[in-house]
Amino acid sequence: MRSVRSVDTGPEMTVRRAVHRLGFRFRLHRKDLPGCPDLVLPRLRIAIFVHGCFWHQHRCNAAARPTSRTEYWNAKLEKNIERDRRTTKALRNCGWKVFIIWECQTKNRSALDSRLLRLLKVNG
């Protein structure tokens, strides 16, 4: 698990390029905000998290839980889900809009662009 990265992942880089291509400027990994969001658009008060489907348990095929060491994995993944809930709630209580982009949603560039444009234009 040492090779599992938490920043500058492939899906995160895809989202960064898409947001930049759409003309929005952002900050990365603001440690002063709860959960250290992957992208932050301060002027719009938008925090974007790019979640891996497995690690954050999205409801897609990539999020299947391992069948070995189930006790360990269930506890670990449930902790991740609960931390995500707490982080989202804390950011919203501070007046931020929170968006989650799932790893599987980064596979289709045009769908990602249109989703991001819709989220950012409506909330901007």
Side-chain angles (χ1 to χ4, degrees), residues 3-94:
S3 64
V4 176
R5 300 173 64 155
S6 60
V7 296
D8 300 338
T9 63
E12 183 183 328
M13 297 302 287
T14 300
V15 172
R16 283 190 206 173
R17 284 187 210 101
V19 171
H20 191 269
R21 188 172 48 248
L22 293 171
F24 294 93
R25 299 302 175 253
F26 50 86
R27 299 286 167 249
L28 299 174
H29 311 290
R30 290 252 318 252
K31 292 182 184 353
D32 60 326
L33 292 175
C36 192
D38 296 315
L39 283 85
V40 177
L41 290 86
R43 190 177 53 84
L44 303 175
R45 293 192 63 84
I46 293 175
I48 300 174
F49 289 94
V50 183
H51 283 339
C53 294
F54 172 75
W55 295 105
H56 298 270
Q57 289 295 284
H58 187 223
R59 292 181 181 100
C60 71
N61 293 336
R65 291 189 183 206
T67 55
S68 64
R69 299 184 63 203
T70 56
E71 197 172 297
Y72 167 79
W73 282 108
N74 287 339
K76 181 171 188 55
L77 296 173
E78 289 301 324
K79 246 192 306 188
N80 289 351
I81 293 167
E82 183 54 38
R83 186 181 61 241
D84 292 341
R85 284 188 193 119
R86 282 193 318 267
T87 299
T88 299
K89 184 176 181 179
L91 280 167
R92 287 188 175 141
N93 286 342
C94 293

